[in-house]
Amino acid sequence: MSNQASDQARVIPLRPRTTPAPAPARTVPPAPPAPREPLFRDLVGDVLRRERLAQERTLKDVADEARISMPYLSELERGRKEASSEVLAAAAHALGLGLGDLLSLAQSELTRHARSRTRARTTNSAPYNGLCLVA
């Protein structure tokens, strides 16, 4: 071994160095991603909020009548919490709806969203570069 100490530290790379590959040239811009399908809790929350606002009622008023906490009702409306069927029924009844009515309105929202996804998928297909003749 040498008596002379080196001033340089020895570096051992953990990953081999690679040079990034050049990005291929794109002639057609990529299609935008399809909108994500909504979660059930988002749909139910939207219905609860829309019904409450249509009745011009406050979160506190509806939460008190449903016997649930105001922060919890707020989280339900924002789609942050999954509610049990008992809590959904209580919130629906506080708004003058039955549980079936609430679920039916949520199903209508889902159907409307599915239709808009189908339209978006058919209109976002490859561009048509042909000739269109109108008589």
Side-chain angles (χ1 to χ4, degrees):
M1 203 146 183
S2 169
N3 291 340
Q4 195 175 29
S6 172
D7 289 340
Q8 297 292 323
R10 192 171 130 199
V11 177
I12 302 172
L14 297 177
R15 292 188 195 116
R17 292 185 186 198
T18 59
T19 58
R26 289 188 173 165
T27 57
V28 178
R36 72 174 182 88
E37 193 166 19
L39 298 174
F40 177 70
R41 66 179 182 232
D42 292 328
L43 296 170
V44 170
D46 289 344
V47 170
L48 287 172
R49 176 166 284 167
R50 189 175 55 243
E51 289 297 317
R52 179 178 62 79
L53 293 175
Q55 297 176 17
E56 298 180 355
R57 295 175 66 187
T58 63
L59 270 171
K60 181 171 178 19
D61 177 39
V62 175
D64 288 346
E65 190 172 334
R67 299 179 56 96
I68 57 179
S69 73
M70 189 174 67
Y72 188 68
L73 179 59
S74 174
E75 289 181 325
L76 288 178
E77 286 186 353
R78 290 181 288 133
R80 303 281 189 243
K81 295 286 184 183
E82 293 276 357
S84 67
S85 57
E86 291 87 358
V87 170
L88 288 178
H93 289 301
L95 293 168
L97 301 170
L99 182 58
D101 299 327
L102 177 67
L103 298 178
S104 177
L105 290 168
Q107 187 266 337
S108 298
E109 288 290 317
L110 182 59
T111 302
R112 188 178 68 207
H113 181 73
R115 269 192 245 123
S116 70
R117 284 186 70 199
T118 303
R119 270 192 306 253
R121 193 172 38 230
T122 57
T123 58
N124 287 342
S125 61
Y128 179 71
N129 293 329
L131 179 63
C132 180
L133 299 175
V134 178

